[in-house]
Amino acid sequence: MKAKGLQARYPVVLVPGIVSTGLESWSTSPEYRHYFRKRLWGTTTMIRAVVTERDRWIAALMLDPETGLDPPGVKVRPAQGLDAASTFIPGYWIWSKVIENLACINYDTNNLELAAYDWRLSYYNMEVRDGYFSRLKSTVESFRKREGRKVVLVGHSMGSTIILPLGSLKWVEAPGFGDGGPDWVENHIEAFINVAGPLLGVPKAMTAFLSGEMKDTVEVNPAGSYVLEKFFSRKDRARLFRSWAGSASMFIKGGDAIWGNDTHAPDDLDNTNHTHGHFFSFRPQSQVQPSSIPPGHVVSAARPQQSMNETSADRRHGKKHARASHTMPSFSLFEPLIPASDTGSDVGNLTVEEASNWLLEHTPNSFQKMLFTNYSYGIELDEEQLIKNNGDFRKWTNPLEVQLPRAPSMKIYCLYGHGKDTERSYWYARGEYEHDEAFSDAMAPVCLNTTECDLEGMTPRAPLDMPLSRQNWIDSLVTRETDTPRVKNGVKIGEGDGTVPSLSLGAMCVEGWKRRRWNPAGINVTTYEMPHRPESLDIRGGATTSDHIDILGSQALNEIILKVAAGQAHDVEDHFVSVSTMTHGRYDSATYK
């Protein structure tokens, strides 16, 4: 690219994704002193700690469930500098190839910064504890003053949701927060490169919070599954995930209007015989064999799923009446759950809205409080309310509830992969009630703590020492290779980059931000999808991969980043390869018009 005349022009700030930034121990207590300034997340130190001191490692990385900050006696902080997310462990690169390619056109530490952060924290607590957004604002302003040019921001995965339109730029502008004023973005930001940003959430986050599982864990062979369960059980994983408030930014956004309903989903193929709109599906209890039940679980009854003989094309053409997603739902995670009940006999297929509420019925009070006080997952169509939302930090993590900055000269580039099997929806199984040290779920809960019961958004819990927590797990015995969508080990496969579905990667870029409602300044948004064509002899896929992580080594991606940074991106145009974006008219017209 240097031979083509590209040279560094705009300063560049890189914002890594979730779990990319290394986390190091700053604890000085005796039990953690031998880890001082060593990474508990990333590097071989992490592996050694997990193997030899598992419980201590979990305790160090788990945040206080009430405050969302460090627990007493523990201090873990993000590593800093370009090395903070260059590699995860020796030999496993993350940002190193992007950094090296930028160096080839004359970037160095004088015009290139990696803004590392503690991805476990809620966005609000990133500023409260670490002053993250204040430091990021200062970095951009320093570059702008010294270089005399605006800055290019590059975010990957969760890093994209931190940049725009969500955390940092909204925080910078907002009165009482960054106090930068409505012109700050226009005066300081040249472009935002969104690499594989899960703007509307990630399905695997839902299952991680509910049962500590995802596609990667259920595909482990039986022997490996047994070892994993004994060494790091579902319960342990779920508790750890729930304590990381930052990961809750990956919770699915937009409800049934975006992700589909009982009749169809926008990313269903025409020959679909079981819509992705059924986010959680359950087999009849009579079909659940004992061999499908994980160790320590007991199965209970479930209502048979609805007919699977219709195709999504039938449903879209009115052969079955659609439910209310053709009108905007009053989506709230904290509304009482009506279609699904915890009585054991009448749980059937659940849409995203129903599944979200059902998930919350099976998680601790502290998790519910954390979600309600930090995030919002709905959709807003009223432009006056969208303007008001610019002052509500809970809305900033949801592009469906806030507007892009009024920065007409800024450019947005959405770059992501397509063509790798991606988990989109699930088959679930459920068991009996059990003891759980974290919370109690009751069929008819009674609350004696009036302060807690009166908190908006809370689901009351029974203050009883009884086995009232419900067992749930991905039904890994459901495999239907000939179905559409294909089902493997209880996971319904959709389009995406192996981690994030195309719907979350592209819906806002292709449709939402083309509307003045969410993009009042008319910021130019370019979407470039990259097909996943990994090289067979390269374990990371080589120059033609578009896997969610490995895309950072993709030739096409690196070329676009260099062009934008060098001010030579005039030839970067929209490029679509996925069905869901090429046929984006399937998206609910009530949502986008």
Side-chain angles (χ1 to χ4, degrees):
M1 297 302 287
K2 185 175 182 180
K4 295 180 180 180
L6 295 188
Q7 285 291 328
R9 179 173 176 79
Y10 301 108
V12 173
V13 176
L14 309 174
V15 182
I18 190 171
V19 309
S20 296
T21 298
L23 302 176
E24 58 187 31
S25 174
W26 281 78
S27 302
T28 57
S29 56
E31 62 268 34
Y32 290 108
R33 187 165 294 163
H34 57 295
Y35 287 118
F36 184 71
R37 293 299 315 280
K38 295 180 180 179
R39 294 194 186 181
L40 293 177
W41 187 268
T43 75
T44 54
T45 303
M46 178 191 74
I47 299 174
R48 184 170 64 253
V50 171
V51 172
T52 62
E53 297 182 281
R54 185 197 74 116
D55 292 341
R56 185 169 294 171
W57 177 81
I58 292 176
L61 286 182
M62 184 175 293
L63 295 172
D64 186 294
E66 298 298 330
T67 67
L69 299 171
D70 300 303
V74 175
K75 181 185 284 188
V76 174
R77 295 293 181 266
Q80 297 298 312
L82 294 176
D83 288 339
S86 292
T87 59
F88 184 64
I89 57 175
Y92 191 91
W93 50 263
I94 301 178
W95 281 93
S96 61
K97 292 186 179 294
V98 172
I99 294 170
E100 183 177 354
N101 284 319
L102 286 167
C104 289
I105 62 170
N106 209 30
Y107 279 92
D108 55 34
T109 52
N110 291 320
N111 54 4
L112 175 64
E113 178 88 9
L114 190 144
Y117 60 94
D118 188 339
W119 39 266
R120 301 173 305 155
L121 297 175
S122 70
Y123 292 4
Y124 187 85
N125 279 339
M126 285 182 194
E127 177 64 20
V128 169
R129 196 195 73 178
D130 296 341
Y132 178 76
F133 297 122
S134 294
R135 290 189 289 111
L136 184 55
K137 177 175 181 276
S138 178
T139 296
V140 171
E141 290 175 339
S142 177
F143 275 149
R144 180 72 171 92
K145 182 177 181 179
R146 187 173 73 245
E147 300 288 328
R149 295 189 178 97
K150 294 191 281 187
V151 174
V152 171
L153 300 175
V154 185
H156 172 244
S157 191
M158 179 179 172
S160 291
T161 70
I162 284 178
I163 294 175
L164 182 73
L166 319 174
S168 59
L169 296 189
K170 283 297 177 186
W171 180 90
V172 166
E173 291 183 330
F177 292 88
D179 292 316
D183 298 327
W184 190 93
V185 175
E186 174 68 11
N187 294 332
H188 289 83
I189 305 300
E190 170 65 21
F192 164 52
I193 302 177
N194 160 31
V195 180
L199 300 177
L200 299 181
V202 187
K204 67 165 58 180
M206 309 286 278
T207 59
F209 293 138
L210 177 60
S211 59
E213 299 172 286
M214 56 191 70
K215 177 175 177 284
D216 300 329
T217 62
V218 296
E219 289 185 351
V220 176
N221 63 52
S225 178
Y226 179 82
V227 172
L228 179 63
E229 186 65 21
K230 291 296 183 182
F231 183 75
F232 197 12
S233 70
R234 291 174 175 83
K235 273 189 179 182
D236 290 336
R237 298 194 299 266
R239 288 179 60 233
L240 190 61
F241 293 149
R242 291 170 192 158
S243 80
W244 294 343
S247 62
S249 66
M250 302 292 104
F251 211 95
I252 281 183
K253 304 169 181 68
D256 296 355
I258 300 297
W259 293 88
N261 54 36
D262 268 338
T263 66
H264 69 280
D267 51 346
D268 282 344
L269 300 177
D270 284 339
N271 59 343
T272 293
N273 53 22
H274 192 192
T275 176
H276 281 306
H278 291 156
F279 189 73
F280 287 161
S281 301
F282 295 84
R283 286 190 291 164
Q285 189 271 344
S286 59
Q287 295 182 11
V288 180
Q289 302 300 320
S291 59
S292 69
I293 304 172
H297 290 71
V298 181
V299 75
S300 66
R303 176 169 56 90
Q305 70 272 12
Q306 297 172 6
S307 172
M308 295 172 53
N309 295 325
E310 297 173 301
T311 68
S312 60
D314 293 337
R315 289 186 284 265
R316 279 198 299 271
H317 289 92
K319 293 187 179 180
K320 181 177 178 180
H321 293 294
R323 297 194 327 171
S325 77
H326 287 293
T327 58
M328 294 315 304
S330 55
F331 174 54
S332 168
L333 286 175
F334 304 97
E335 291 174 350
L337 184 61
I338 297 173
S341 171
D342 231 3
T343 58
S345 61
D346 58 352
V347 175
N349 297 319
L350 305 181
T351 66
V352 158
E353 291 181 20
E354 295 165 347
S356 297
N357 286 319
W358 190 73
L359 184 157
L360 289 178
E361 289 188 337
H362 297 79
T363 51
N365 287 352
S366 58
F367 183 72
Q368 296 185 50
K369 290 178 183 177
M370 180 273 292
L371 288 182
F372 180 74
T373 55
N374 285 284
Y375 300 108
S376 181
Y377 305 102
I379 182 170
E380 183 58 63
L381 297 179
D382 183 83
E383 294 188 38
E384 291 185 5
Q385 185 59 47
L386 283 168
I387 294 173
K388 293 179 182 178
N389 287 351
N390 289 333
D392 184 350
F393 73 88
R394 296 178 306 163
K395 309 291 185 182
W396 297 348
T397 59
N398 184 354
L400 292 166
E401 293 189 283
V402 291
Q403 295 177 326
L404 290 175
R406 295 183 183 270
S409 69
M410 186 180 73
K411 299 90 171 174
I412 297 178
Y413 299 89
C414 296
L415 316 176
Y416 55 87
H418 166 76
K420 188 172 184 182
D421 285 356
T422 304
E423 51 198 290
R424 171 60 173 84
S425 49
Y426 304 87
W427 286 88
Y428 250 83
R430 62 207 322 262
E432 299 298 337
Y433 292 93
E434 63 179 351
H435 284 282
D436 191 296
E437 70 278 7
F439 65 97
S440 295
D441 271 318
M443 297 181 188
V446 177
C447 189
L448 302 181
N449 184 335
T450 55
T451 301
E452 184 174 274
C453 288
D454 290 342
L455 179 63
E456 184 178 0
M458 287 299 300
T459 300
R461 307 292 184 186
L464 303 173
D465 184 19
M466 296 176 63
L468 298 176
S469 169
R470 200 62 179 268
Q471 301 172 347
N472 304 280
W473 62 90
I474 294 176
D475 194 350
S476 59
L477 280 198
V478 180
T479 295
R480 298 172 178 174
E481 294 285 353
T482 60
D483 275 12
T484 304
R486 189 161 52 88
V487 183
K488 186 175 182 181
N489 300 116
V491 178
K492 289 193 280 184
I493 304 299
E495 297 180 319
D497 66 359
T499 297
V500 184
S502 296
L503 188 61
S504 181
L505 293 165
M508 290 307 299
C509 304
V510 176
E511 282 284 347
W513 286 338
K514 301 295 185 181
R515 314 294 179 183
R516 291 282 176 175
R517 176 185 295 117
W518 291 294
N519 185 3
I523 295 172
N524 185 65
V525 181
T526 301
T527 302
Y528 196 98
E529 293 184 335
M530 284 161 272
H532 181 57
R533 295 169 182 165
E535 297 175 7
S536 58
L537 299 180
D538 191 321
I539 193 171
R540 299 292 298 276
T544 54
T545 182
S546 67
D547 169 82
H548 185 71
I549 300 294
D550 298 341
I551 195 173
L552 291 172
S554 160
Q555 179 179 339
L557 176 86
N558 277 267
E559 286 183 357
I560 293 175
I561 291 176
L562 296 186
K563 287 179 179 180
V564 174
Q568 300 293 323
H570 53 274
D571 61 343
V572 180
E573 300 177 342
D574 286 340
H575 180 255
F576 300 127
V577 297
S578 69
V579 173
S580 59
T581 48
M582 289 190 291
T583 58
H584 52 76
R586 288 180 175 181
Y587 293 146
D588 194 340
S589 60
T591 302
Y592 289 101
K593 295 182 180 178

